[in-house]
Amino acid sequence: MTLNEEQIKDIAELLDSGMICFYHLPTGTIDSHPDPNDPYFDAEQWEDIIDRIENDWDNYERFEKMESYEGYKVIENFAYSLSDEYFRDKILNAISRRKPFQNFKNLIDSSHYRQNWFDFKNKAYINFVKRQIEMKEK
C-alpha cells in the first residue's frame, strides 16, 4: 500500500472530521463515510459508498479515527509543547475536570493559540495515519 503525502493528509483530515476512511488498493482512491454508530448517521445518504466498499471489501484498507484516550493525549501533548507555562497549566487544569474536550475547546477557541492547536492536531493526525499504514504493511 503506497499512499502519497497528499492522500495521507486527506485521510487525516477526514478522520479528524469524524469520518471512517477506506483506501482502495487497486485504484488508490479514498472513500469515506460517517461512523454508522453515530446517532445522526443517515445510512440512505451514504448507501452508494457503503455498498461499493462492502461489495469489494477485500480490496479496501480501513483507517480508524482516534479513540477518545488518543485524542486526550494529543491535547495533553499540545499543552506540554507550549512554552507559556500559565496557559499550559490552564489547559492541564481544564482537561483534568469533567468534560475535558469541551473545556479544552472553550479555552483554545478564545486564545491566541488556536491556530497553533490546529497545526499541532493536524500533524498528530498525519502521524496517526502513518502509524496505521506501518501496521498494515507488517
Side-chain angles (χ1 to χ4, degrees), residues 20-31:
I20 299 172
C21 294
F22 300 86
Y23 178 76
H24 191 241
L25 295 164
T27 63
T29 57
I30 299 167
D31 287 315

Side-chain angles (χ1 to χ4, degrees), residues 8 11-12 15 63 124-133:
I8 292 170
I11 292 170
L15 292 175
F63 287 87
Y125 258 97
I126 288 171
N127 289 332
F128 180 72
V129 170
K130 287 180 179 180
R131 284 193 305 275
Q132 286 188 59
I133 293 168

Side-chain angles (χ1 to χ4, degrees), residues 41-119:
F41 177 69
D42 178 7
E44 189 175 309
Q45 181 179 350
W46 299 94
E47 189 173 359
D48 292 343
I49 292 172
I50 292 170
D51 287 346
R52 180 171 54 239
I53 293 166
E54 287 179 355
N55 291 332
D56 196 18
W57 184 254
D58 290 340
N59 285 314
Y60 279 95
E61 288 288 343
R62 179 177 168 145
F63 287 87
E64 303 292 339
K65 61 184 180 180
M66 283 188 191
E67 297 290 336
S68 292
Y69 75 90
E70 292 167 310
Y72 182 92
K73 193 70 178 162
V74 172
I75 291 171
E76 193 175 52
N77 289 342
F78 172 72
Y80 285 118
S81 76
L82 297 174
S83 58
D84 180 343
E85 292 178 26
Y86 175 75
F87 195 68
R88 175 180 48 220
D89 290 344
K90 278 182 78 167
I91 291 173
L92 294 173
N93 182 44
I95 66 173
S96 69
R97 297 190 322 259
R98 191 170 170 269
K99 298 188 178 188
F101 294 100
Q102 182 179 336
N103 294 338
F104 176 75
K105 182 181 179 340
N106 293 339
L107 186 61
I108 202 72
D109 282 350
S110 62
S111 77
H112 64 273
Y113 291 102
R114 189 170 186 266
Q115 188 58 51
N116 299 69
W117 162 243
F118 288 130
D119 295 342

